DNA sequence: CTGTTAGCGCCTTCAA
DNA sequence: TTGAAGGCGCTAACAG
């Protein structure tokens, strides 16, 4: 103890008055760890999707005393790879590879030797852990909502798109069908259209022109549901009086519609958070896909059951 | 030149086969520059706002070969300051301080000695450059849209909220009034309500109950306009037949409504980009507020002028 | 004009 | 237990 207490105090004072803070770059150089996580998204701007994923990831990162570096690939694989390099150059502790739409996609080559978690997408060969919404169970929920309301026939699905690269549609469809099969019922029809207001409006408008009248409608997302509302209203059908409507995503939009939409929500925040937790977890956790369950946001777009149901 | 060409080639080969890349942390240590920009937002998750600001900032950062690290203050000043410290510890080249709503707000103390640009907010003492939407001119545009359509009387504003911390409302209002005053006209009434569907719906519904019938409506944002559409439709008024509607923000929602909404758009992407450019510009540029003009997104919610107007 | 050297700020090992 | 020293990977200044 060669340093006097007084000297120590003077040093401590200097630390505060000069606002000294350790240089994390120097720390990183020595320790080869940065407390920094890179997150690569295809499109940041995409309204709620990427931003909520980001928000969840950021919250979890903060909780673990980490910070997020973001990069937007903009759909261009080269730009994306450049970004990845940029992050690796900065020696991020790991990378989250996120897409704004649920996708089966090849993990970029240069990520295969880096600690990586896929978010809202998964590698066909499951080389790294992935986080996805549990669309299959979500679909089942949507189906059960209608069934519990006593709507077992004349149910139509709006937004079937089996050809897309996305996997959400197929999984939701599977879940819905499963719920109906359990009750020995089935879906009456599926209407194929993009998951946006205008296409959904047009598709349903055309379909209704045939004279069929559905009792229940499942929309593949809230935006499609908006178009569906418009088409139903034009056809003089009321929600939920004539037709009950269930949807997916649980976006803000679902709460803006009148009547408020019952929607099976994408747990984007939780997904983002889980991705960070997996990335930071000491155990590699194998490389399985983690499914996050989709909560139901109950609105007023589904007819209450005619008779009270015993649980 | 003591190194033989052959040796040089062998080194170069090693670089590529071993995927050697310079360690930017080491570079930073030496050069005291990181090619990294920190961006502090109050809420990332807030739908389009922060995410579009982020997207714009990110694009500009990429163009300047920089990378963005993000931090979400979550409304808590302490958490925010911790984040700022975290970024300064990482020796970011500068910080963008962004809010999701246009605000007049004090620059955090520890940012006063750091290269900083305020985004969507400004310091009362203008200590640093700021980027904001030109809401005043935007308001004027909104007014002129109605005036050019021949709607000079019975114009009502939905969403007056002079008491908020936000400055957008007041500025838009000022612009609208200015446009009308230039034609020696004036706004008939202002309806005070929050800028969301439900409050706007209720406020207009109540107002319409008095029996007054507006010819033009200016909504303070697209979400309020959604509520306004609902109230008008309930009252049996058509858009744009009976009432012309203009709104602000230019969000996706405006394109989803039927008829499509004419909206004076927030140039969020450009704002984010400009903030980065100012931050990286060699000249400090003083510390003035930079106003980014708001483009008009033309929909079908405004009645075409009865007679062709000569430009 | 090339090749060597001395740190950037920190952490970790080693000696006292 | 505490202090000194070496080196993380790089760049800028310097010597040859």
């Amino acid at each position: 103890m060669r340093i006097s207490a007084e000297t120590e105090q003077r040093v401590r004072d200097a630390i505060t008055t000069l606002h000294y803070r350790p240089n994390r770059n120097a720390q990183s150089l020595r320790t080869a760890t940065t407390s920094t996580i890179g997150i690569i998204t295809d499109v940041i701007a995409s309204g709620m999707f990427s931003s909520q994923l980001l928000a969840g990831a950021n919250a979890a990162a903060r909780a673990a005393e980490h910070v997020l570096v973001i990069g937007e690939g903009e759909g261009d694989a080269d730009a994306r790879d450049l970004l990845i390099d940029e992050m690796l150059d900065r020696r991020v502790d790991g990378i989250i590879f996120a897409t704004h739409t649920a996708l089966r996609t090849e993990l970029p080559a240069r990520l295969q030797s880096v600690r990586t978690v896929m978010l809202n997408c998964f590698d066909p060969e499951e080389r790294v852990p992935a986080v996805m919404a549990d669309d299959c169970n979500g679909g089942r929920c949507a189906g059960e909502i209608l069934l519990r309301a006593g709507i077992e026939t004349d149910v139509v699905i709006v937004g079937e798109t089996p050809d897309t690269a996305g996997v959400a549609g197929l999984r939701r469809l599977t879940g819905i069908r499963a719920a109906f099969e359990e009750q020995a019922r089935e879906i009456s029809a599926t209407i194929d259209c993009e998951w946006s207001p205008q296409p959904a409006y047009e598709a349903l408008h055309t379909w209704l022109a045939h004279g069929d009248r559905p009792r229940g409608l499942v929309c593949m997302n809230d935006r499609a549901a908006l178009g569906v509302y418009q088409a139903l209203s034009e056809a003089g059908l009321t929600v939920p009086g004539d037709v009950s409507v269930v949807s997916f995503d649980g976006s803000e939009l679902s709460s803006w519609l009148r009547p408020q939409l019952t929607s099976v929500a994408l747990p984007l925040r939780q997904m983002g958070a889980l991705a960070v937790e997996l990335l930071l977890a000491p155990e590699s956790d194998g490389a399985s896909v983690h499914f996050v369950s989709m909560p139901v946001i109950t609105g007023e777009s589904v007819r209450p059951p005619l008779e009270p149901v015993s649980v």
Side-chain angles (χ1 to χ4, degrees), chain A:
Chain A
M1 165 103 38
R2 289 234 199 84
I3 294 179
S4 71
E6 186 221 359
T7 308
E8 181 184 335
Q9 193 50 49
R10 280 176 52 209
V11 171
R12 298 213 177 284
D13 289 351
I15 287 179
T16 55
T17 58
L18 300 179
H19 297 111
Y20 168 81
R21 306 214 92 219
N23 181 332
R24 298 214 64 150
N25 277 316
Q27 290 185 12
S28 299
L29 189 57
R30 193 65 243 263
T31 62
T33 144
T34 52
S35 296
T36 299
I37 297 172
I39 179 162
I40 306 266
T41 55
D42 43 2
V43 263
I44 296 181
S46 171
M48 67 175 221
F49 285 89
S50 314
S51 63
Q52 299 235 78
L53 288 175
L54 262 191
N58 186 61
R62 290 300 315 142
E65 308 208 87
H66 280 241
V67 138
L68 243 44
V69 178
I70 62 172
E72 186 175 21
E74 292 167 348
D76 178 5
D78 290 340
R80 188 200 60 195
D81 286 349
L82 249 47
L83 272 171
I84 295 177
D85 285 343
E86 208 73 40
M87 292 182 172
L88 296 180
D89 290 351
R90 285 175 175 73
R91 299 300 187 266
V92 293
D93 291 342
I95 287 191
I96 293 176
F97 184 79
T99 54
H100 81 287
T101 169
L103 231 54
R104 167 194 169 101
T105 185
E106 192 94 11
L107 186 70
R110 61 199 69 203
L111 284 184
Q112 299 185 10
S113 49
V114 183
R115 188 152 188 81
T116 302
V117 171
M118 294 178 86
L119 179 51
N120 209 22
C121 55
F122 68 100
D123 186 74
E125 300 175 33
E126 300 208 354
R127 283 177 279 219
V128 295
V131 176
M132 305 206 68
D134 192 352
D135 286 296
C136 190
N137 267 311
R140 183 182 295 265
C141 283
E144 285 169 357
I145 288 167
L146 291 180
L147 290 166
R148 268 203 295 271
I151 299 165
E152 302 177 323
T153 58
D154 304 302
V155 170
V156 174
I157 294 174
V158 180
E160 188 202 13
T161 43
D163 49 339
T164 337
V167 297
L170 230 49
R171 288 180 177 169
R172 290 172 183 176
L173 214 54
T174 309
I176 300 167
R177 288 226 161 87
F180 275 76
E181 273 164 23
E182 270 171 21
Q183 306 295 322
R185 300 290 182 171
E186 57 181 14
I187 297 300
S188 312
T190 59
I191 302 179
D192 191 3
C193 67
E194 265 184 59
W195 298 4
S196 309
Q198 186 66 15
Y201 164 82
E202 284 165 10
L204 183 58
H205 180 81
T206 309
W207 191 86
L208 288 172
H210 297 342
D212 295 321
R213 285 297 171 263
R215 295 178 58 220
L217 239 36
V218 184
C219 305
M220 280 305 189
N221 75 2
D222 296 335
R223 296 197 302 282
L226 171 54
V228 160
Y229 267 40
Q230 292 164 342
L232 289 175
S233 144
E234 261 190 37
L237 297 170
T238 63
V239 178
D242 300 314
V243 186
S244 291
V245 180
V246 184
S247 157
F248 290 94
D249 278 8
S251 61
E252 286 183 292
L253 180 60
S254 69
S255 71
W256 294 339
L257 296 181
R258 299 180 65 80
Q260 221 162 292
L261 195 54
T262 291
S263 189
V264 181
L266 278 174
L268 296 169
R269 272 217 179 62
Q270 291 88 320
M271 291 166 64
L274 180 57
V276 167
E277 284 154 15
L278 289 174
L279 195 75
L280 260 28
E283 306 303 316
S284 186
D285 237 354
S288 51
V289 178
H290 297 249
F291 290 100
V292 182
S293 79
M294 304 177 74
V296 174
I297 297 180
T298 304
E300 288 147 3
S301 61
V302 176
R303 187 190 83 173
L306 291 180
E307 306 171 45
V309 184
S310 66
V311 188

